[in-house]
Amino acid sequence: MTGVPASAAGGSSGAHGAPGPAAPSGAAPDSGSGSRDAGSHDGERPVRGGKIAAAAVNQASLWNVANLLTMLRLVLVPGFVALMLAGGGYDPAWRSLAWAAFAIAMITDLFDGHLARTYNLVTDFGKIADPIADKAIMGAALICLSGLGDLPWWVTIVILARELGITLMRFVVIRYGVIPASRGGKLKTLTQGVAVGMYVLALTGWLATLRFWVMAAAVVLTVVTGLDYVRQAIVLRRQGIAERAAALEETEA
């Protein structure tokens, strides 16, 4: 995710005030002075409010509505587990409340990404915290379902191994860049959410059969998209190594 544009944090002095005096003949211009201190000019004292405004912008870029929704999902995890296991774990009323908490977490997952992209609220914190929040609520649901005997353990192991593996891989290659969520990954998340939500509810009859097939589709998408992310990580790492080697050669030259 991207940070706050430099212009928002206190752009060039020419955009907000009168241009500074011309540099003396033969003197090298300070190419970075205009972007570092908003409202400051050569020979003048920097405006104290510029740094305060920049700090406020940076704080707003972190504590925005998209990130707050991500934090809400993290808070919902222990609440969901408590509701899921209440009454021995098989009470339809408690399971319905657990489903409501799970549904809120899934809905906020859809909204925070949309808000971040639409209103330029994308931050590095959101890029890291968002997948962690997703894995936390999904992992808690899968473990609870398998622990209660509603879902085979191998399904939980396959899904969690993929999710945790891809998350760790993102951290490993983050020095080369961030792997964005693909359309297949978003479809996987949606299918997993629907399937797990159906298992959380105490369904019977044809709905119980339907949720089996939805979960089967979710497992297939989980594996396929996981392999695609591995491919992207390999390509990203190779590009990063090549760029560093080229920069090193240029420096030595």
Side-chain angles (χ1 to χ4, degrees):
M1 298 166 83
T2 58
V4 177
S7 60
S12 62
S13 59
H16 301 287
S25 176
D30 184 2
S31 59
S33 61
S35 60
R36 281 195 289 264
D37 296 311
S40 64
H41 307 291
D42 295 342
E44 294 183 1
R45 189 175 182 180
V47 179
R48 296 175 59 187
K51 293 184 178 179
I52 297 176
V57 171
N58 290 334
Q59 184 180 15
S61 67
L62 175 62
W63 297 100
N64 58 63
V65 63
N67 288 344
L68 290 176
L69 289 176
T70 299
M71 296 176 192
L72 173 62
R73 291 210 308 283
L74 290 171
V75 173
L76 282 173
V77 174
F80 165 80
V81 173
L83 292 171
M84 189 72 182
L85 300 180
Y90 299 101
D91 189 312
W94 287 112
R95 293 284 285 259
S96 297
L97 292 175
W99 176 87
F102 182 82
I104 291 173
M106 292 295 100
I107 292 173
T108 56
D109 180 35
L110 297 176
F111 275 105
D112 64 357
H114 175 74
L115 290 172
R117 292 186 299 269
T118 303
Y119 298 101
N120 194 25
L121 301 176
V122 180
T123 63
D124 289 333
F125 168 81
K127 286 182 178 180
I128 297 174
D130 182 72
I132 292 177
D134 297 341
K135 306 309 177 285
I137 189 68
M138 185 61 65
L142 290 169
I143 292 174
C144 286
L145 289 171
S146 293
L148 294 171
D150 294 338
L151 188 67
W153 273 107
W154 71 265
V155 174
T156 295
I157 292 173
V158 168
I159 294 178
L160 291 185
R162 184 272 191 196
E163 301 298 343
L164 294 177
I166 296 302
T167 300
L168 292 175
M169 185 184 68
R170 287 176 183 270
F171 282 109
V172 171
V173 301
I174 198 170
R175 69 182 69 178
Y176 306 109
V178 177
I179 303 176
S182 64
R183 293 183 178 179
K186 294 176 182 178
L187 179 60
K188 178 270 305 177
T189 301
L190 177 62
T191 308
Q192 279 185 359
V194 173
V196 172
M198 294 179 72
Y199 271 87
V200 169
L201 289 173
L203 300 179
T204 58
W206 68 273
L207 288 175
T209 302
L210 177 62
R211 70 182 181 183
F212 168 83
W213 292 107
V214 176
M215 180 59 75
V219 171
V220 172
L221 287 172
T222 297
V223 175
V224 172
T225 56
L227 294 175
D228 181 63
Y229 279 131
V230 171
R231 178 192 61 80
Q232 292 186 51
I234 294 174
V235 172
L236 185 63
R237 182 176 181 275
R238 288 177 178 174
Q239 290 177 347
I241 294 176
E243 290 174 357
R244 289 187 178 185
L248 181 60
E249 291 178 359
E250 184 178 351
T251 302
E252 293 177 350

